[in-house]
Amino acid sequence: MNMAIRVFLLLLIIFSSMYPTLCIYEDQVGHMDWHQQYIGKVKHAVFHTQKAARKRVVVSTEENVVASLDLRRGEIFWRHVLGPKDVIDALDIALGKYVITLSSGGTILRAWNLPDGQMMWESTLSGSTPSMSLLSIPTNLKIGKDDVVFVYGSGCLYAVASIDGEVIWKKELTSEGVHIQQLIYPDGTDIIYAVGLAGLAQFDAYQINVKTGELLKHSSMVFPAGFSGDLSFITSDIAVTLDSTGSILVAVHFQDGEISFHQTQVSELGWDFSGPAVLLLTKLPGMFALEINKSIVFIKVTNEGKLEVVDKLGQSTAVSESLNLSEGQQAFGLIQRGDGKIILSVKLGSDWTSNLLQETIQMDYQRGNAHKVFINTYVRTDRSNGFRALIVMEDHSLFLLQQGEIVWSREDGLASITDVMASELPVEKDGVSVAKVEHNLFEWLKGHLLKLKGTLMIATPDDVAAIQKLRLQSSEKSKMTRDHNGFRKLLIVLTRAGKLFALHTGDGRIVWSLFLDSLRKSETCQNPRGLSLHQWQDPHHHVLDENPSVLVVGRCDHSTDSPGVLSVVDTYTGQERNHLGPTHSITRVIPLPFTDSAEQRLHLLLDVNRQAHLYPRTTEALDIFQRELGNIYWYSADVDKGILKGHAVQNNCILKIADSYCFNTRDLWSIILPSESEKIIATATRNLNEAVHTQAKVTSDQEVMYKYISKNLLFLATVAPKAVGPIGSVTPEESWLVVYVIDTVTGRILHRMTHHGSQGPVQAVFSENWVVYHYFNLKAHRYEMSVIEIYDQSRSDNKDILKLLLGKHNLTSPITAYSRPEVIAKSQSYFFTHSVKTLAVTSTAKGITSKQLLLGTIGDQVLALDKRFLDPRRTVNPTQAEKEEGIIPLTDSLPIIPQSYVTHALKVEGLRGIATVPAKLESTTLVFAYGVDLFFTRLAPSRTYDSLTEDFSYALLLITIAALVIAIFVTWIWSEKKELQEKWR
């Protein structure tokens, strides 16, 4: 029997030692997460196509990104994401090897190495007056031995050496309030012209020596009728502008410092032009463009100075800058939008009638119109000029066209996500045949046998290839149906361009996209923008018959009193079910916890007139709303006046046209903060869909504490008015941070605490009965994180755990917000190393799993921090009972564990938000971080205690069990035979 035990233990050790080799495969990197890199909507583009170097295009974007893209595939060679306030104003290439960027209002000039993107130098250009930022790089100009770059910014003109960024000379040009709009350097001269307007009525031209910065001549001339404000430069000595009424074209000649004006009525140009015109800022050789009556008119300036209309095109036309060709010729590109197609035309500046190139390309309507186009030339095999065009579409996507085809495309609209929500995938409806089951069973056995051969290291190269192929084929993470663990979902995202995308959580691919008509520019909605997404319909009882849908809320302008637009979109198909607008203004959307018989969720939309509008506008929804009228409350915060108010619905609106879905509101309470000592800087509330597993919390001394759970709690943070500025702008004695926890139904302040010598910015997250917030401590010169936990003392008599287990307690008694709550607050503060951009918390299906805080760091990474580190009951020397409860010994700082970075070694550049979605599996939460980049992963705060891993080898487990049973049986027979032989001796 001893022999059998030894053999059993030996086999157990052998097989158990084989399991760790099955845990991680080389190809499993990124198995549960994905990372996507974007750049945003392109503003400037410069091609670099020298034969000796890789062909690329250098771009800058609205997300403050400077990047180098491969012209062959559109991939990113390198990129740099500048700060949110470091807006890129201009971009060019100097010396054929440096990318020059001008940013921050013309105050920061940088040079980047073209091949690898390394920053070569940076110059800070100080100035006193905000102004337009201009960059000019002459091709053949040296001051001494240095090639030069001319920069205008902050009211000063600079000459900067392009090799090291040293300022050669500086000239201030704002002494008389002149706003420079163009720098002109005629090749081969020693003079640079700085041209602009003063007070919209005077034209000024400066002549400056390029070697010394000396002002040679300053000419000015007043135009009595006044200018519209913009200048379009036709040649080096002719500019065109409009008068203040937009009805007269003014050609300005400023040759050799002599200024003269030539006026032409827009109506005299012919073509039945009427109404005010708008000058388009184009850079075309010898011509300019006007927008009149929803059309773009191209006007040529003849050698005699006369104006001649050459063409009239639709409003959806995009025009490129001029491109220098051989023999002094210049060309430019036009993009016109057709029916499901775009037309690219390349014309010579001297001959509008003929085309150097005209191509028609099929283009999805969901892309919108072309916003910008950049063209580049190359030499074909027959020595003729070929052209490629980089096109920026209305949805912020980017295309490269060449030889009538789309070479590559990029969905860079995803770099500007404004809101995100999750939606379920469809349920599998079709049945499965017996043959399919048998085939799947055969493939399953084959796959596990191949994996077993790989584990035992006896797999041939063909077997290894088959294993890889089977893994790709059997991967279930990218299927378009729900899984039993709830890992597969759709992420519905809304971009700044007004486009909706559905991203699959399995691999991040775009399932569908929709460019909403309601969020496109139109006569009734001139500057639309998307605001938020809300769940409109989430069918549970009719899951096989109804598709879920999402409500998209938008606005026609940036102001709060502009008309609102609404759209309802099917999340399975991406089709727009319904849209409404422009309608009343929208300042806030309140999702209500009620649904109608079609499982459509009720929403209350508030406008600037303090009226509430009910949606959906159905009789059933109205009946439900009126029944629950007394239980609907909300709050509003006036940041400028420092007033917090609570509101409720009163009665129907009194309008000229009766509207039974419109309601007046009334004020319930108000809190007026002292304006001389407090300024609101942050608020936070609980997620309405958050699941709380239990209200009771058993402590180490067998006491029961009851969490104060209320969805009506508000966290409010205020600072001293002087401390609203950046960190360090005030002394610790002048700054303080005050935090409140307020019941928004009654306006009662449940907790108030002051942090003296502290300052914002404040990031906060509210979950269950606790709130965590991050701020800066001026006295300690360090960041801090504080936690507040609120407990209900009114149930302090229910401390008997036996009663709690037997159900003999009053936890089911009704709770009302009108009764004065007996609460106790526990708080604690800790030092934290990093600055934080955003805060989130993990969420699970039932709320059983431990919570983790997700911190978006200043380094654009996501750090997971166990909530236990932010337990206010932590002590320096916890008792043994407290250790068993999980309380960690108190330290003054929160630890940063490198393995706790959710994003690993990756960065989510320009990180703006973190969204968490519970999976059906209680141990797991889905995390989506977005900014310029996107990152998705699955997180298990308490490890996957309720499931096996996806690659668990059931075949090897069965073989192990069978081998152990056989070994036990064989050794038992051997033991019996041995005992029989010993008895016969």
Side-chain angles (χ1 to χ4, degrees), residues 696-743:
K697 182 176 183 178
V698 181
T699 63
S700 57
D701 55 0
Q702 305 304 312
E703 292 287 330
V704 180
M705 301 174 66
Y706 294 98
K707 303 174 186 177
Y708 186 74
I709 304 295
S710 173
K711 294 184 179 181
N712 301 313
L713 294 184
L714 167 70
F715 169 80
L716 177 73
T718 66
V719 294
K722 291 184 179 180
V724 176
I727 292 174
S729 58
V730 292
T731 62
E733 292 74 19
E734 296 175 317
S735 180
W736 51 84
L737 171 68
V738 184
V739 296
Y740 300 84
V741 178
I742 301 171
D743 189 313

Side-chain angles (χ1 to χ4, degrees), residues 404-480:
E405 294 182 355
I406 298 176
V407 180
W408 50 260
S409 64
R410 295 179 53 87
E411 290 288 356
D412 283 303
L414 288 170
S416 58
I417 292 176
T418 57
D419 200 6
V420 59
M421 63 169 294
S423 176
E424 294 289 350
L425 282 164
V427 177
E428 238 179 313
K429 298 179 182 180
D430 298 332
V432 182
S433 64
V434 175
K436 186 174 181 180
V437 171
E438 292 176 349
H439 176 74
N440 290 341
L441 180 62
F442 173 75
E443 292 293 333
W444 182 82
L445 290 172
K446 180 182 176 182
H448 280 288
L449 288 174
L450 286 171
K451 286 171 66 178
L452 180 60
K453 291 175 70 175
T455 301
L456 299 175
M457 292 182 291
I458 58 175
T460 64
D462 292 337
D463 291 337
V464 173
I467 291 172
Q468 299 287 347
K469 184 178 179 181
L470 283 172
R471 279 192 187 149
L472 291 174
Q473 291 177 348
S474 62
S475 176
E476 295 188 353
K477 68 178 184 178
S478 59
K479 286 185 177 180
M480 281 301 298

Side-chain angles (χ1 to χ4, degrees), residues 881-895:
E882 289 176 335
K883 290 180 180 178
E884 292 175 359
E885 185 188 345
I887 294 179
I888 302 171
L890 178 64
T891 57
D892 61 346
S893 299
L894 295 173

Side-chain angles (χ1 to χ4, degrees), residues 612-779:
H613 303 265
L614 177 65
Y615 291 89
R617 299 171 69 87
T618 62
T619 305
E620 182 184 4
L622 184 61
D623 292 339
I624 297 172
F625 180 75
Q626 289 176 339
R627 285 199 303 269
E628 302 291 343
L629 205 61
N631 296 321
I632 300 173
Y633 305 92
W634 67 93
Y635 77 95
S636 64
D638 191 328
V639 177
D640 297 328
K641 297 180 180 179
I643 300 177
L644 200 69
K645 291 184 178 181
H647 309 279
V649 177
Q650 188 174 16
N651 49 31
N652 283 103
C653 303
I654 301 175
L655 303 172
K656 293 181 179 179
I657 301 176
D659 185 0
S660 57
Y661 302 97
C662 176
F663 297 88
N664 290 318
T665 62
R666 58 191 174 97
D667 295 341
L668 297 177
W669 53 264
S670 63
I671 298 175
I672 302 175
L673 301 171
S675 59
E676 66 278 0
S677 61
E678 294 186 43
K679 179 80 172 178
I680 299 174
I681 60 168
T683 59
T685 57
R686 276 189 60 198
N687 184 357
L688 296 178
N689 298 322
E690 182 185 30
V692 180
H693 174 61
T694 178
Q695 189 182 357
K697 182 176 183 178
V698 181
T699 63
S700 57
D701 55 0
Q702 305 304 312
E703 292 287 330
V704 180
M705 301 174 66
Y706 294 98
K707 303 174 186 177
Y708 186 74
I709 304 295
S710 173
K711 294 184 179 181
N712 301 313
L713 294 184
L714 167 70
F715 169 80
L716 177 73
T718 66
V719 294
K722 291 184 179 180
V724 176
I727 292 174
S729 58
V730 292
T731 62
E733 292 74 19
E734 296 175 317
S735 180
W736 51 84
L737 171 68
V738 184
V739 296
Y740 300 84
V741 178
I742 301 171
D743 189 313
T744 58
V745 174
T746 60
R748 290 194 182 98
I749 298 176
L750 303 181
H751 182 69
R752 182 183 185 273
M753 184 166 60
T754 303
H755 299 274
H756 294 283
S758 296
Q759 189 181 4
V762 173
Q763 302 291 340
V765 62
F766 209 136
S767 176
E768 294 189 353
N769 67 318
W770 53 265
V771 59
V772 171
Y773 52 101
H774 177 277
Y775 55 95
F776 189 78
N777 188 327
L778 291 170
K779 290 184 178 179

Side-chain angles (χ1 to χ4, degrees), residues 504-624:
H504 198 292
T505 57
D507 51 10
R509 73 181 187 276
I510 298 173
V511 178
W512 55 260
S513 62
L514 174 65
F515 199 3
L516 292 167
D517 290 330
S518 57
L519 294 180
R520 293 189 186 185
K521 185 176 180 180
S522 62
E523 294 183 16
T524 56
C525 205
Q526 288 293 323
N527 190 20
R529 57 189 295 259
L531 294 179
S532 56
L533 298 174
H534 304 272
Q535 188 69 53
W536 180 257
Q537 186 178 16
D538 189 12
H540 296 286
H541 304 292
H542 307 282
V543 67
L544 297 177
D545 305 320
E546 298 285 345
N547 293 354
S549 56
V550 62
L551 173 66
V552 185
V553 181
R555 192 184 287 156
C556 284
D557 207 341
H558 294 279
S559 60
T560 56
D561 59 349
S562 59
V565 290
L566 305 172
S567 293
V568 177
V569 180
D570 190 315
T571 60
Y572 285 175
T573 63
Q575 295 179 353
E576 189 176 21
R577 290 185 183 177
N578 190 17
H579 70 272
L580 179 66
T583 180
H584 55 79
S585 59
I586 301 174
T587 58
R588 186 176 176 185
V589 180
I590 303 176
L592 301 177
F594 317 119
T595 57
D596 59 15
S597 58
E599 296 183 89
Q600 294 182 125
R601 190 167 186 174
L602 274 63
H603 292 76
L604 205 60
L605 276 61
L606 308 178
D607 63 17
V608 292
N609 299 320
R610 300 182 59 189
Q611 293 177 335
H613 303 265
L614 177 65
Y615 291 89
R617 299 171 69 87
T618 62
T619 305
E620 182 184 4
L622 184 61
D623 292 339
I624 297 172

